[in-house]
Amino acid sequence: MGSFLSKQMERRKAISAQKKLLCDLKEKDNTDFPGCDHCPEDRKNWMSTLALDKLHVNKIVWPGTHDSATNKIGIPFISRPFARTQSLSIYNQLVMGTRVLDIRVQKDGRVCHGILVSYNVDAVIRDVKKFLSETQSEIIILEIRTEFGHDDPPEFDKYLENQLGEFLIHQDDSVFNKRVAELLPKRVICVWKPRKSPQPKHGSPLWSAGYLKDNWIDTDLPETKFESNMKHLSEQQPVTSRKYFYRVENTVTPQADNPVLCVKPVTNRIRPHARLFIKECICRGYGDRLQIYSTDYIDEDFVNACIGLTNARIEGKL
């Protein structure tokens, strides 16, 4: 028992020390970067407020959400706090400005996170289609994967094609160099990541797993995640030189050996430092590599930061 308590005390000290490191860095360097003061009047239509004829797909800094469809996962007040990473519905996330969705499903088509389940994926598709019907120029990256440890929903690729067919941007490397205006009226890049079913092929309405990459770092230590994200980003090519999307997740994850297992207080160790990460990317010479930037519990300030950096790229300030 004494050994366990000792380890927990050391763990808490490590967390406090890492939180302080990020706060000190923020105080020393501030969080100003090109476009940091940009505030869109209409986040719901933020892409259409930019110059669509100059906005290249590979230069967008895409605001994304991690485990996007967990707002109603599990049982309220019992299991939900251990898996919920977003408080908003898919539709409300899109209205706020989110443009990359991370959806995990199980064999019966329900959204899940590990062993906990939520609503059927139909609800996600309805929200996406509702948003698309209310906007004209917003492009969405919809990533849907079979959750680890689960089987693929049967014929799920056909389901996605039937539901979203008119909006789907087909898998094609040339898309990355195109301007948003050239893709319209198609609006959705749908990345389907099955566990065992065949991957979508070139020219398919769906995109295969290799087109959306990341490096998942499973830790609850904020500075460890911050610097690991930076290291992996530094190893990527500039956005103009690659034919895939690369995601950085500004999140930390509860660990089984730590007494704090609820998502929100843990992920809040890093959430306030989203702008600091962007500033440090630019200062360290990696500003041209950031592309998809995702978070738990997305808010307006996170979206504004992504849009501001995107606008700075359009204006040649970065």
Side-chain angles (χ1 to χ4, degrees):
M1 185 67 173
S3 175
F4 173 78
L5 291 175
S6 177
K7 287 181 179 179
Q8 292 306 312
M9 289 294 292
E10 289 301 314
R11 189 72 174 172
R12 289 182 179 230
K13 287 180 182 179
I15 292 168
S16 295
Q18 292 212 0
K19 289 168 69 176
K20 185 176 186 303
L21 283 171
L22 291 180
C23 288
D24 288 349
L25 182 61
K26 186 175 182 178
E27 184 175 340
K28 175 186 174 183
D29 291 346
N30 69 58
T31 57
D32 291 346
F33 55 84
C36 65
D37 57 351
H38 184 80
C39 186
E41 294 182 2
D42 182 5
R43 291 181 194 85
K44 183 177 181 179
N45 293 283
W46 68 261
M47 286 187 177
S48 65
T49 67
L50 305 179
L52 297 180
D53 58 334
K54 297 180 181 179
L55 182 58
H56 287 83
V57 170
N58 57 12
K59 292 188 178 181
I60 297 170
V61 182
W62 302 76
T65 48
H66 165 240
D67 244 336
S68 307
T70 53
N71 58 308
K72 292 187 177 180
I73 200 163
I75 303 171
F77 307 109
I78 298 176
S79 59
R80 185 169 296 171
F82 303 107
R84 187 188 204 190
T85 61
Q86 307 296 332
S87 57
L88 300 175
S89 68
I90 295 298
Y91 173 76
N92 285 329
Q93 289 176 43
L94 292 168
V95 169
M96 183 178 282
T98 300
R99 292 297 177 265
V100 181
L101 299 172
D102 160 22
I103 309 297
R104 293 99 182 278
V105 295
Q106 61 183 25
K107 187 176 181 179
D108 65 1
R110 285 197 289 173
V111 171
C112 62
H113 185 177
I115 62 172
L116 298 180
V117 297
S118 185
Y119 38 71
N120 194 282
V121 72
D122 289 343
V124 173
I125 301 300
R126 281 196 301 270
D127 275 5
V128 168
K129 291 168 78 171
K130 178 182 179 183
F131 174 77
L132 292 172
S133 73
E134 295 173 355
T135 57
Q136 294 184 330
S137 305
E138 306 303 302
I139 306 293
I140 298 169
I141 299 175
L142 174 62
E143 178 199 36
I144 304 187
R145 72 179 87 172
T146 302
E147 178 69 309
F148 180 78
H150 292 272
D151 292 329
D152 301 325
E155 298 188 324
F156 196 67
D157 53 346
K158 293 181 181 177
Y159 165 81
L160 291 172
E161 291 176 27
N162 289 336
Q163 290 292 321
L164 297 169
E166 65 180 299
F167 300 108
L168 293 174
I169 298 166
H170 287 216
Q171 182 182 149
D172 184 346
D173 287 0
S174 69
V175 166
F176 293 94
N177 292 322
K178 288 186 176 180
R179 300 172 179 85
V180 168
E182 296 178 85
L183 299 179
L184 300 174
K186 303 295 186 181
R187 312 270 301 283
V188 179
I189 296 172
C190 185
V191 182
W192 165 225
K193 296 183 175 182
R195 289 284 166 188
K196 297 178 181 178
S197 304
Q199 289 280 334
K201 296 180 180 179
H202 183 77
S204 163
L206 307 178
W207 294 62
S208 56
Y211 281 104
L212 202 170
K213 302 180 181 182
D214 54 31
N215 291 96
W216 175 245
I217 304 106
D218 188 14
T219 181
D220 63 353
L221 296 171
E223 198 258 352
T224 295
K225 183 64 175 283
F226 188 97
E227 291 299 334
S228 296
N229 278 342
M230 194 70 70
K231 175 181 179 295
H232 289 301
L233 184 64
S234 74
E235 295 166 351
Q236 303 301 312
Q237 294 179 316
V239 294
T240 54
S241 300
R242 59 183 191 239
K243 302 297 183 184
Y244 59 86
F245 296 103
Y246 184 77
R247 173 172 52 205
V248 171
E249 293 189 316
N250 188 56
T251 63
V252 286
T253 311
Q255 301 296 303
D257 64 349
N258 194 278
V260 183
L261 295 176
C262 295
V263 170
K264 195 163 190 178
V266 173
T267 201
N268 278 347
R269 296 168 188 167
I270 198 170
R271 276 185 70 241
H273 303 296
R275 285 179 176 263
L276 176 63
F277 185 83
I278 294 175
K279 168 66 179 292
E280 286 297 304
C281 281
I282 295 169
C283 288
R284 301 185 198 188
Y286 314 137
D288 61 349
R289 305 177 196 193
L290 188 61
Q291 194 170 46
I292 295 177
Y293 195 27
S294 293
T295 186
D296 291 330
Y297 293 98
I298 197 163
D299 58 25
E300 293 176 350
D301 186 68
F302 185 90
V303 172
N304 288 354
C306 294
I307 300 172
L309 190 58
T310 300
N311 194 54
R313 285 178 173 175
I314 294 174
E315 295 179 349
K317 296 179 180 178
L318 185 65

